[in-house]
Amino acid sequence: MDWQAKVKIQLKENLLDPQGQAVGESLAALGYENVKETRVGRYIELKLEDVESQSQAEEQLEEMCERLLANPVIEDFRFQVEELS
Amino acid sequence: MDWQAKVKIQLKENLLDPQGQAVGESLAALGYENVKETRVGRYIELKLEDVESQSQAEEQLEEMCERLLANPVIEDFRFQVEELS
């Protein structure tokens, strides 16, 4: 079975997010002063082929996030896995 | 009312995604050879304060995506807006 993975990676909550701040300030400069708490992260989509079950797909994805996709020291990650028909 | 916005920004489907390819190749080098079609984009979360309705919040977010958050020439965006209690 094949699976579609959607991964969101963000800086840990307590860390300063300069990129998020810069985007927030740019939005305010464009007149959107009601925008607060802007946080910028990465969004990754990928396909996992030939994996027997959802739990195995999630296990593989967890491992890939910890080893490569996210930096566990400063980032948190969340993901969804959906079976591809 | 305040709203939590979650925005996903990706390169348009038909465009080459060198970053996605690099991540895919790195995953394969780590032994994850069943990973295909890796695409890397941006994920932005922000709060919209004092907006009367969901449709107004979505309208504002659409505008901000088109003007600043995404590059409409090469990127597509999708978003969700949820009311904050």
Side-chain angles (χ1 to χ4, degrees), chain A residues 32 39 41 43 45 63, chain B residues 32 36 39 41 43 45 63:
Chain A
Y32 303 111
R39 299 176 64 220
Y43 177 65
E45 281 189 5
E63 210 182 278
Chain B
Y32 304 109
K36 300 286 183 272
R39 299 175 65 221
Y43 175 66
E45 282 189 4
E63 211 182 279

Side-chain angles (χ1 to χ4, degrees), chain A residues 4 6 8-10 13 19 22-23 26-27 30 32-51 60 63-64 67-69 78 80, chain B residues 4 6 8-10 13 19 22-23 26-27 30 32-51 60 63-64 67-69 78 80:
Chain A
Q4 180 66 39
K6 299 178 177 180
K8 294 175 185 174
I9 301 164
Q10 292 183 288
E13 290 263 349
Q19 207 179 351
V23 169
S26 303
L27 288 168
L30 286 176
Y32 303 111
E33 279 153 23
N34 65 327
V35 174
K36 300 286 184 273
E37 298 170 30
T38 305
R39 299 176 64 220
V40 175
R42 295 196 305 289
Y43 177 65
I44 298 174
E45 281 189 5
L46 55 86
K47 202 166 98 177
L48 293 174
E49 289 184 339
D50 310 326
V51 181
Q60 181 181 335
E63 210 182 278
M64 295 189 317
R67 291 182 69 189
L68 183 84
L69 301 179
R78 286 167 293 159
Q80 287 166 317
Chain B
Q4 180 65 41
K6 298 178 178 180
K8 293 175 186 175
I9 301 164
Q10 291 182 287
E13 289 265 350
Q19 207 178 351
V23 169
S26 302
L27 287 169
L30 285 175
Y32 304 109
E33 279 153 25
N34 65 328
V35 173
K36 300 286 183 272
E37 299 171 28
T38 306
R39 299 175 65 221
V40 175
R42 294 196 305 288
Y43 175 66
I44 297 175
E45 282 189 4
L46 54 86
K47 202 165 96 176
L48 293 174
E49 289 185 340
D50 310 326
V51 180
Q60 180 182 334
E63 211 182 279
M64 295 189 322
R67 291 182 68 190
L68 183 82
L69 300 179
R78 287 168 292 158
Q80 290 166 318

